[in-house]
Amino acid sequence: MTSPAPSAPSPSAAPLAAGTLDVLSRLADVIESRKGGDPDKSYVARLFHKGTDAVLKKVGEEATEVVMAGKDAAAAPSAEHRQALVGEFADLWFHSMVAMAHLGVSPREVVQELARREGLSGLEEFDMRKTLAREAGQA
């Protein structure tokens, strides 16, 4: 049984501010520019220098921190817990973008995939993936 979501108002239903996707695009450009950079002068260059395992481990760590902050926010809703949760999501997005750059996946590809899924039922999408996987196994 899951606990109810925090009752704090969610601004997620509000439209994104103009330029929000521009922020992500600029961030992706900065991350990309750190490839081959000096690991002593750039945190992102240091992650790239450490390699795939280190980059992906950081994504996992950040995902765990989101889970913990989410549990705190659900258990004791407060402005402080909400801000901590937002910060952890920002860290997860950032490190996911670092991983994407490291693995050669562009934010545009991910946004295109989200757009493709827009309006699809999550259950229909899941069933479609199962069918495709089953058909690939029979080929």
Side-chain angles (χ1 to χ4, degrees):
M1 183 170 172
T2 60
S3 60
S7 59
S10 173
S12 63
L16 292 175
T20 300
L21 295 178
D22 292 340
V23 170
L24 295 175
S25 180
R26 287 192 307 272
L27 180 57
D29 289 344
V30 169
I31 291 169
E32 193 67 32
S33 77
R34 298 301 193 259
K35 285 184 175 177
D38 185 346
D40 293 328
K41 295 183 180 178
S42 165
Y43 171 74
V44 173
R46 185 176 307 149
L47 280 175
F48 284 144
H49 182 75
K50 288 181 178 181
T52 302
D53 286 349
V55 170
L56 296 176
K57 180 180 177 190
K58 193 63 184 170
V59 173
E61 289 172 6
E62 296 302 338
T64 299
E65 290 175 13
V66 166
V67 169
M68 299 309 296
K71 287 179 145 308
D72 290 344
S78 69
E80 182 181 321
H81 282 145
R82 182 176 186 81
Q83 187 55 45
L85 181 59
V86 168
E88 294 302 343
F89 271 119
D91 290 346
L92 179 57
W93 282 22
F94 174 79
H95 287 91
S96 293
M97 290 181 70
V98 171
M100 289 165 48
H102 183 72
L103 297 168
V105 175
S106 74
R108 180 179 309 276
E109 290 175 88
V110 175
V111 169
Q112 286 172 339
E113 177 61 14
L114 290 170
R116 184 191 68 76
R117 294 180 184 188
E118 187 176 15
L120 289 177
S121 159
L123 295 175
E124 289 172 358
E125 174 74 10
F126 181 71
D127 286 344
M128 183 173 65
R129 284 192 223 167
K130 280 182 14 183
T131 300
L132 291 173
R134 191 170 39 250
E135 289 172 356
Q138 294 174 356

